[in-house]
Amino acid sequence: EAQVTQNPRYLITVTGKKLTVTCSQNMNHEYMSWYRQDPGLGLRQIYYSMNVEVTDKGDVPEGYKVSRKEKRNFPLILESPSPNQTSLYFCASSLIGGRGTEAFFGQGTRLTVV
Amino acid sequence: AQKVTQAQTEISVVEKEDVTLDCVYETRDTTYYLFWYKQPPSGELVFLIRRNSFDEQNEISGRYSWNFQKSTSSFNFTITASQVVDSAVYFCALRNFNKFYFGSGTKLNVKP
């Protein structure tokens, strides 16, 4: 089954404790990205990657890091989480162009930083 | 700058009513893609439709229809004869070559 898998689904952590949210896709998509969803703001793109070893900032990259060492994986790293990073996070993948440009989303990770 | 505006924050209708969700976008790109996604109460994001900037044909899929008008930079979504299962948050999104831009979403409440 074609899917994007995020882990964990729920995470409560304390301020300053480094964490990683994993994301993996099995569709051989070149493009992967991370979003955060906050009430009234919709989804905002944090980082995206056009291919292995190619990453770039989205609209809200501060406080986050990513890496793309393999085509299928795109982990999101919070080196020193703060309470304002409490949010619902989504990973997504897609093709680059043509008829497959829609993003396929993971199930989401609800992060609470206390 | 790219931007997607969904001015309707929340809409409530009674089952079987028709409802239109508005989406207005801004972009200077000539090639771009527009999407609608549904987020039911369970939280996942479900892809509904894609349109590219060169394809202004409207589309109907069952009770759903989409009206894309480049002249007004709008990509509106109509649900005919709404049902309780249509209750969800709906997002409109724009993609240029490398980035996605989402609207703030419209919460649709369909009451029995």
Side-chain angles (χ1 to χ4, degrees):
Chain A
E1 180 190 354
Q3 60 186 3
V4 178
T5 304
Q6 289 178 233
N7 280 298
R9 293 287 310 278
Y10 302 91
L11 180 59
I12 301 175
T13 190
V14 296
T15 299
K17 185 176 181 182
K18 181 179 179 179
L19 66 91
T20 299
V21 184
T22 64
C23 175
S24 180
Q25 52 96 3
N26 62 1
M27 295 169 278
N28 202 36
H29 285 163
E30 303 95 348
Y31 188 95
M32 296 187 74
S33 54
W34 276 101
Y35 304 83
R36 59 178 290 172
Q37 181 179 358
D38 301 291
L41 297 177
L43 280 81
R44 294 178 292 168
Q45 195 169 41
I46 302 171
Y47 269 95
Y48 64 93
S49 170
M50 301 287 276
N51 215 323
V52 176
E53 303 292 1
V54 180
T55 63
D56 209 344
K57 297 177 181 179
D59 291 329
V60 288
E62 295 77 21
Y64 304 96
K65 285 177 58 176
V66 293
S67 68
R68 188 95 181 269
K69 293 184 170 53
E70 304 167 281
K71 195 172 186 178
R72 62 183 294 128
N73 295 325
F74 190 46
L76 179 70
I77 303 158
L78 284 71
E79 296 254 344
S80 182
S82 62
N84 65 11
Q85 293 178 297
T86 292
S87 187
L88 177 59
Y89 291 87
F90 286 99
C91 177
S93 72
S94 73
L95 297 172
I96 293 287
R99 294 198 167 275
T101 53
E102 63 270 20
F104 291 85
F105 285 88
Q107 292 293 94
T109 296
R110 187 165 292 281
L111 172 66
T112 302
V113 183
V114 298
Chain B
Q2 332 282 341
K3 186 179 179 181
V4 177
T5 301
Q6 294 180 256
Q8 303 153 309
T9 305
E10 188 165 353
I11 301 175
S12 293
V13 299
V14 177
E15 208 169 19
K16 298 184 183 175
E17 283 186 25
D18 298 347
V19 58
T20 295
L21 309 182
D22 298 332
C23 173
V24 175
Y25 63 93
E26 296 175 29
T27 181
R28 293 197 180 121
D29 295 325
T30 55
T31 299
Y32 54 90
Y33 304 89
L34 296 166
F35 311 91
W36 276 95
Y37 285 86
K38 175 182 181 179
Q39 187 176 46
S42 50
E44 73 271 24
L45 286 157
V46 179
F47 165 70
L48 296 178
I49 190 170
R50 173 192 68 244
R51 267 289 172 268
N52 69 43
S53 52
F54 301 112
D55 182 4
E56 279 195 80
Q57 280 191 346
N58 293 327
E59 179 152 338
I60 298 175
S61 176
R63 296 183 297 105
Y64 295 172
S65 62
W66 292 270
N67 183 294
F68 175 28
Q69 291 194 337
K70 287 179 73 173
S71 60
T72 56
S73 297
S74 64
F75 186 40
N76 296 337
F77 173 27
T78 297
I79 302 174
T80 302
S82 60
Q83 300 177 0
V84 173
V85 293
D86 296 326
S87 296
V89 179
Y90 292 86
F91 291 99
C92 180
L94 165 74
R95 179 180 183 177
N96 58 15
F97 180 66
N98 58 354
K99 292 180 75 172
F100 280 83
Y101 304 87
F102 283 79
S104 54
T106 296
K107 184 177 183 181
L108 176 63
N109 302 305
V110 182
K111 301 175 183 177

